[in-house]
Amino acid sequence: MNTPGQTRKTILVVDDDERIRKIVSDVLLRCGFAVLQAADGDVVLGLVRRHQPDLVIMDVKMERVSGLHALTELRAESSDVAVIVMTGSGEEQQVLDAFAAGADDYVTKPVSQAQLVARVKAVLRRLNGGETRDPIVPPEPTVTTYGPLCLNAARHTLTLNDRVVNLTPTETLLLDVLMRSPGHIFAPEDLLERVWGAEYRDAVDVLRTNIYRLRKKLQEEIGLARWIQSRPSAGYFFEADS
């Protein structure tokens, strides 16, 4: 639930199954979120433009326009809205395709209410640049710099001189973890736990897909894919170009 003084978060729920939409929406409403609904992926981009929700939860398979296509449209427009996709049980390739297209997380159908709420809260924490576990410890600064690079976690942007890269909440947190410890090699399970949570420690394909997407975006936008390095059988680390 939102505490007094907090802005109520808005979540867009997209599914062509009315029953699933209602179940998900009712759970979110009980948790204090404002909820918008849509029955297909063809209206997602317009609704995000108009209402600017904090999070979109949508099914991958829909009758007219798939959630994957809608997600691709959002990312092509450089939208940094957080996105959780819903997939059928056992559809691992759909999950990887969704992450490759820019999803921040996923849940499987039939949707567990407890898992849904946990995933929503985790993604919203990423949207806010993460949160400290100890309220006595001051929060980490939202701006991380390394040489000419400036990562703004609040705005989900990476800046190099006058060039700006728009990032998703998950891409922002992943890059932030790496940039804060340049040269340190993070084991895959360590990165997965820091960015997605402890239940993802074995989801190496999820990490690999997101690293690939982040490198590709940095290369296309500012030519800096080599700043994210990997060491076989060890993990990933951040290192400046020579």
Side-chain angles (χ1 to χ4, degrees), residues 169-214:
T170 299
E171 290 168 347
T172 301
L173 183 53
L174 179 56
L175 186 56
D176 189 54
V177 171
L178 293 168
M179 282 183 64
R180 286 183 184 275
S181 302
H184 175 77
I185 300 174
F186 290 92
E189 59 270 21
D190 189 12
L191 273 179
L192 284 160
E193 183 168 353
R194 287 169 180 254
V195 178
W196 285 275
E199 68 272 27
Y200 283 87
R201 283 181 60 87
D202 297 325
V204 178
D205 284 344
V206 169
L207 177 61
R208 188 179 298 118
T209 300
N210 277 270
I211 289 285
Y212 171 79
R213 174 179 169 80
L214 183 56

Side-chain angles (χ1 to χ4, degrees), residues 41-60:
D42 57 353
V43 297
V44 170
L45 185 58
L47 288 172
V48 169
R49 286 172 176 167
R50 190 176 313 120
H51 298 285
Q52 298 186 330
D54 299 281
L55 174 65
V56 178
I57 301 175
M58 60 182 165
D59 191 18
V60 169

